[in-house]
Amino acid sequence: MSDSDLPVVLIVEDEPDVAETYKLWLQQEYEVRMAQNGDEGLEQLDADVDVVLLDRMMPGLSGDEVLERIRERDLGCRVAMVTAVEPDFDILEMGFDAYLSKPIRSEQLHETVDNLLDRSEYDSLLQEYYALVEKQATLEATKSSAELAESDQYDELTERVAEMRDDLSETLGGIEDDSDFIATLRGLSDDDDN
C-alpha cells in the first residue's frame, strides 16, 4: 500500500483508451498507476503496488515476459492478465493470479481486483496464523503443563491463535477446529490442482 492508504493498482496496457477506461472505473477506490508498455510497467512497479492489471500482447516486452520479471522480484503483488489473447494450455506455466479475457466490464474488473486484494490479505493472515501455531506447538512440546499454565505469554499466544482461527474461519466459512482448518486448506489445494 502507498501513502494514501488506498490499495495501489498498476495498469500495464498499450492501448491508451483501454487503460484510461480501467483507470476511470477504479480511481474512486484505488490509487491507480498507468504504464503504456512492459518496460514502463516494470519501472513503476515497487513494493507499494498491490495488484497489476497486465495486458498480455504489447510491443516490446510482452505481458508474459513482464509477468516473469514481476515474479522474479518477489514483491508479493497479485497479477491479473487482462487480454484479448484466448487462453491456451501455456497458461498453466504462468504465474498470474487471475485471467480476464477482453472485453471486460467494470463490475468484472472491480470484482477481480477486490478478490486479489482479499487473497493477499488472507495469505498474510494465514502466514501469521501458521507462525503462531508453530510457536504454540513448540512450547507445548517442550514445556510442562504447569509451566504453560503459569505463563501469561503462553495465554496471550493461545488467545491470539484462537482469534486468528476465528478470523480465518469467517473468511473460509465455518472452520471449527484445527482439523477442520487443515481439511479446508487441503480442499482448497485440491481445487487449485484441478
Side-chain angles (χ1 to χ4, degrees), residues 8-9 14 18 31 38 40 66 72 88 103 121 135 138 142-143 157 170 174 193:
V8 178
V9 177
D14 65 315
V18 172
E31 179 184 320
E40 192 178 316
V66 173
E72 286 171 1
D88 202 352
E121 182 178 322
K135 291 174 184 176
T138 300
T142 59
K143 299 292 184 187
L157 173 64
E170 193 174 298
D193 292 342

Side-chain angles (χ1 to χ4, degrees), residues 180-192:
D180 282 348
F181 178 76
I182 292 167
T184 301
L185 287 179
R186 285 192 178 133
L188 289 175
S189 176
D190 290 346
D191 291 345
D192 289 346

